[in-house]
Amino acid sequence: GAVVSQHPSWVICKSGTSVKIECRSLDFQATTMFWYRQFPKQSLMLMATSNEGSKATYEQGVEKDKFLINHASLTLSTLTVTSAHPEDSSFYICSAREGLAVNLQFFGPGTRLTVL
Amino acid sequence: SQKIEQNSEALNIQEGKTATLTCNYTNYSPAYLQWYRQDPGRGPVFLLLIRENEKEKRKERLKVTFDTTLKQSLFHITASQPADSATYLCALDADSNYQLIWGAGTKLIIKP
């Protein structure tokens, strides 16, 4: 149980285009999903917290107009990188929170974004 | 500010030995602590969670200890195998908006 999928697993795009990444909880309902970014050999950097049916909460320094998050259902959250630039190239990982008693997060496999 | 420290140096262990990883934290009193495994190019995988009132937790070859006085957690892998080679992350609950505070991870290399 507690499987989270991400699509696509990798994407290469041209500078200036927008890219959408999907995160789905397959066998549980996730009221909260998280989006992380990870650079090589560095830890996870939380970008935003996504709550179903409400606006995402962005971390300081993360541009909400550049990284659009939509959490339309209890099993799906999307991250859209708008007008992508080479500096946006990174590994993007989502996680879904299961359970109310403890903050147990299950992660997707990640999406490798390369902007040319 | 809240801070988590994990050994940034890679840990090289001979196969069959016990690997011990350390997670230290400051300026914080978490209700629980979690350990995750991350392989290159993959998302983290949850391994173990230990609560503040638990001293030790075991799962197969894994053992986690939690010392709230020392503000430290130790993660042990007994009878280590090359397949255990990965980066291991510790995380603490941040209490706000269900976020976790993450350590930078320790790369573990098990040599055959």
Side-chain angles (χ1 to χ4, degrees):
Chain A
V3 178
V4 176
S5 70
Q6 244 180 280
H7 178 80
S9 56
W10 60 270
V11 57
I12 300 173
C13 68
K14 292 182 178 180
S15 186
T17 60
S18 294
V19 174
K20 179 185 282 189
I21 303 170
E22 291 186 352
C23 178
R24 293 180 184 273
S25 57
L26 298 184
D27 51 1
F28 67 100
Q29 294 184 330
T31 54
T32 306
M33 288 185 172
F34 303 88
W35 286 96
Y36 294 86
R37 186 172 179 176
Q38 188 175 36
F39 292 104
K41 297 185 180 180
Q42 293 188 24
S43 188
L44 302 169
M45 185 188 81
L46 180 66
M47 299 175 66
T49 302
S50 170
N51 293 297
E52 187 267 336
S54 63
K55 291 184 178 180
T57 302
Y58 290 82
E59 294 301 299
Q60 190 174 7
V62 178
E63 299 175 56
K64 65 176 72 174
D65 294 330
K66 181 167 186 63
F67 298 100
L68 301 178
I69 292 173
N70 185 294
H71 193 161
S73 76
L74 287 172
T75 59
L76 173 65
S77 177
T78 60
L79 168 68
T80 301
V81 183
T82 61
S83 187
H85 291 284
E87 57 265 30
D88 298 325
S89 299
S90 189
F91 191 54
Y92 292 87
I93 313 173
C94 72
S95 71
R97 175 175 166 263
E98 184 199 42
L100 298 175
V102 296
N103 183 11
L104 202 55
Q105 294 184 26
F106 293 93
F107 285 81
T111 298
R112 172 72 60 191
L113 171 63
T114 302
V115 185
L116 301 177
Chain B
S1 61
Q2 300 163 348
K3 192 176 178 182
I4 298 180
E5 288 185 348
Q6 290 186 257
N7 194 335
S8 58
E9 299 287 328
L11 185 62
N12 288 276
I13 300 293
Q14 193 67 38
E15 181 178 8
K17 301 291 185 183
T18 296
T20 299
L21 286 69
T22 304
C23 176
N24 294 300
Y25 59 93
T26 58
N27 299 326
Y28 198 64
S29 297
Y32 48 87
L33 183 148
Q34 304 181 37
W35 283 90
Y36 290 77
R37 166 183 174 146
Q38 186 175 24
D39 291 284
R42 304 291 294 174
V45 175
F46 170 75
L47 296 176
L48 281 169
L49 178 149
I50 186 166
R51 299 175 190 275
E52 60 178 339
N53 60 351
E54 297 176 313
K55 296 293 185 184
E56 183 180 295
K57 202 82 169 278
R58 291 175 184 263
K59 179 183 177 183
E60 298 174 352
R61 294 184 296 111
L62 308 181
K63 185 179 84 171
V64 171
T65 62
F66 194 9
D67 189 324
T68 55
T69 301
L70 292 178
K71 293 187 182 296
Q72 180 183 80
S73 175
L74 299 178
F75 177 81
H76 307 271
I77 304 176
T78 58
S80 59
Q81 304 167 1
D84 295 326
S85 299
T87 295
Y88 291 85
L89 305 164
C90 72
L92 307 177
D93 64 302
D95 270 346
S96 60
N97 209 16
Y98 308 110
Q99 295 175 10
L100 291 174
I101 302 173
W102 293 88
T106 297
K107 184 175 182 179
L108 175 65
I109 301 169
I110 306 297
K111 296 182 176 180

